[in-house]
């Protein structure tokens, strides 16, 4: 979905109309998904599963935080 230009265009339109857009991630490829969401530049929030035993999403979440 985060690589689909048509979906992203619709989300941009919704955001321009004042709708807050968020993305939720889980699973082993969360970091990639979070980075794609940040790259898209249209998401207001990111919600991810956090696991102390498998914290690989941590750096991507930090990048999302820094991107605001």
């Amino acid at each position: 979905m985060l690589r689909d230009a048509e979906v992203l265009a619709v989300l941009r339109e919704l955001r321009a109309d004042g709708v807050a857009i968020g993305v939720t991630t889980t699973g082993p490829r969360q970091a990639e998904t979070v980075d794609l969401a940040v790259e898209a530049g249209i998401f207001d929030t990111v919600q991810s599963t956090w696991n102390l035993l498998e914290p690989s999403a941590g750096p991507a979440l930090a990048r999302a935080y820094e991107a605001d």
Side-chain angles (χ1 to χ4, degrees):
M1 181 211 67
L2 293 174
R3 291 185 176 107
D4 186 315
E6 290 181 38
V7 170
L8 294 174
V10 170
L11 292 174
R12 281 187 184 89
E13 289 176 21
L14 288 169
R15 190 167 188 242
D17 289 341
V19 176
I21 306 296
V23 64
T24 300
T25 67
T26 191
R29 296 177 60 189
Q30 287 189 90
E32 177 185 351
T33 303
V34 170
D35 284 337
L36 285 171
V38 170
E39 184 180 310
I42 58 173
F43 294 94
D44 298 296
T45 61
V46 173
Q47 177 180 319
S48 294
T49 303
W50 180 252
N51 183 336
L52 290 173
L53 299 175
E54 205 293 282
S56 65
L61 291 170
R63 289 189 292 275
Y65 177 79
E66 289 169 8
D68 196 29

